[in-house]
Amino acid sequence: MAGGADPLSGLNDAQRRAAEAVTGPVAIIAGAGTGKTTTITHRIANQVRAEAFEAASVLAVTFTEKAAGELKRRLAQLGVEGIEARTFHASALKQLGTLWPRHTGHDLPEILNAKAQILNPIANGLPGAYRFLPRRELAGEIEWAKNRLVNPAGYLEAIEAEGRTPPLPADLMQRTFQAYERTKGDRRMDFEDMLLMLVRLLDDEPEAASLVRERFHAFTVDEYQDVNPLQQALLDRWIGGRDELCVVGDDYQTIYTFTGASPSHLLTFPDRYPHAAVVRLEENYRSSPQVLTVANALSRAMGG
Ligand SMILES: Nc1ncnc2c1ncn2[C@@H]1O[C@H](COP(=O)(O)OP(=O)(O)OP(=O)(O)O)[C@@H](O)[C@H]1O
Ligand SMILES: [Mg+2]
């Protein structure tokens, strides 16, 4: 990052502490608008600036393409180029693109963009009024299971353990899930398969795992409260027992609960990494002007 702006300038004390911790596990826990994304971009810039890591060996993971683009844009503003900022799915797809053919000898299966295509004929064969159930509900239930690494055989046990009510009677839902997987076959992959296949490949092929681990040395996850067990499993494979993970999240704002996300991954981070630096960001930059406006209006209304 030759000649770029000082990555620590403009940060408040807590943000600076996080950005200065260029190695080792770091958990940043904070509410909306407290500068979480700002902090991780400055930390990544500082990791490169302090020569703790080369830009090309840093992987920043997000949940949406938009967030990945935003991260890249902010890094570019800080003068850092060459960082991989991608969604879990885009990262997985890129890695599978080379590793899958090399290690399995097969082409990568075709991407299945919508489950409804496969679910329609299966749902049409359901008894009684069940066949009118929105396909989205069936797809959602299958996604819930797959995002928790639950296959059709383990489905009944999983919903019982979670006290979960499926959209169909449990045994019927299990058969629907089974039929979905069977019909999809090996030549198509849905979005969860993309992550699952990479998790399995990295488990089964030590050489593939080494390649990925040699490529990436430091990991950062924005909006980590949204991570689900499948994504966490992949992240664990990428990290491979190393310590170089920085997560940032808001324990109040999980929006992906339906996919199995839970802030517990965020909140248990210090248990999993007992020597993690934990930083709380308290200052809210976004809503304070609004809060001030309301407070001012109130005070005027009350003759203050
Ligand atoms: N130390 C700071 N000084 C001044 N402004 C700041 C500081 N940190 C962050 N901001 C500003 O606050 C706003 C929110 O920052 P940012 O997007 O990083 O927050 P966030 O916590 O990631 O928000 P969200 O919850 O929406 O993801 C931005 O406009 C950013 O420039
Ligand atoms: Mg953010």
Side-chain angles (χ1 to χ4, degrees):
M1 214 193 79
D6 176 4
L8 298 178
S9 75
L11 299 181
N12 68 34
D13 287 350
Q15 292 172 335
R16 174 182 288 257
R17 265 204 313 285
E20 277 176 339
V22 290
T23 60
V26 175
I28 304 164
I29 303 175
T34 50
K36 300 186 298 297
T37 304
T38 303
T39 305
I40 57 166
T41 45
H42 285 252
R43 179 177 183 271
I44 291 172
N46 202 31
Q47 285 183 304
V48 176
R49 160 78 142 247
E51 296 183 354
F53 298 95
E54 280 177 27
S57 74
V58 177
L59 178 59
V61 199
T62 62
F63 291 84
T64 64
E65 297 290 348
K66 187 166 169 253
E70 173 68 15
L71 212 64
K72 267 206 194 118
R73 194 186 60 76
R74 292 200 197 184
L75 283 165
Q77 270 177 356
L78 289 170
V80 190
E81 307 279 350
I83 305 275
E84 288 236 11
R86 290 178 194 274
T87 62
F88 275 100
H89 288 93
S91 300
L93 189 59
K94 179 149 190 271
Q95 292 174 23
L96 279 175
T98 40
L99 298 177
W100 186 263
R102 185 184 303 176
H103 289 277
T104 67
H106 298 291
D107 289 344
L108 197 58
E110 185 188 317
I111 298 171
L112 179 70
N113 283 309
K115 291 186 173 65
Q117 182 191 332
I118 287 180
L119 279 171
N120 261 333
I122 299 170
N124 286 336
L126 285 169
Y130 293 133
R131 68 171 173 277
F132 301 117
L133 203 70
R135 306 311 185 235
R136 285 173 59 91
E137 286 193 37
L138 300 174
E141 187 64 9
I142 291 172
E143 282 158 18
W144 175 87
K146 295 183 79 162
N147 279 320
R148 289 170 178 259
L149 301 125
V150 170
N151 62 17
Y155 176 72
L156 294 179
E157 198 183 321
I159 56 168
E160 196 179 321
E162 302 265 338
R164 183 177 174 86
T165 311
L168 290 176
D171 57 333
L172 212 50
M173 186 61 228
Q174 183 187 35
R175 270 182 275 146
T176 303
F177 185 8
Q178 241 154 14
Y180 168 81
E181 291 295 338
R182 201 171 42 236
T183 311
K184 173 167 59 66
D186 291 340
R187 299 310 312 141
R188 284 180 288 195
M189 59 178 176
D190 61 26
F191 290 116
E192 295 75 42
D193 290 333
M194 235 180 248
L195 306 193
L196 263 172
M197 285 161 52
L198 183 56
V199 165
R200 291 206 196 105
L201 186 73
L202 297 178
D203 280 346
D204 297 345
E205 302 286 343
E207 212 180 293
S210 310
L211 272 175
V212 172
R213 289 172 199 156
E214 278 161 26
R215 168 81 176 76
F216 294 113
H217 296 174
F219 301 84
T220 300
V221 186
D222 198 6
E223 306 288 356
Y224 184 66
Q225 76 281 347
D226 290 334
V227 80
N228 66 41
L230 175 56
Q231 291 156 338
Q232 179 66 52
L234 180 55
L235 191 55
D236 288 337
R237 292 340 181 257
W238 284 339
I239 295 167
R242 292 170 293 178
D243 263 352
E244 297 307 334
L245 173 62
C246 171
V247 299
V248 60
D250 178 344
D251 46 346
Y252 289 112
Q253 39 168 45
T254 291
I255 54 166
Y256 289 104
T257 319
F258 60 93
T259 77
S262 108
S264 72
H265 287 109
L266 175 65
L267 298 174
T268 61
F269 189 87
D271 300 329
R272 284 179 287 132
Y273 294 93
H275 54 302
V278 179
V279 180
R280 283 191 174 269
L281 305 183
E282 313 273 355
E283 206 161 327
N284 188 327
Y285 292 92
R286 204 174 276 137
S287 73
S288 47
Q290 290 155 10
V291 171
L292 279 178
T293 308
V294 172
N296 289 340
L298 261 180
S299 125
R300 266 197 310 277
M302 292 167 78

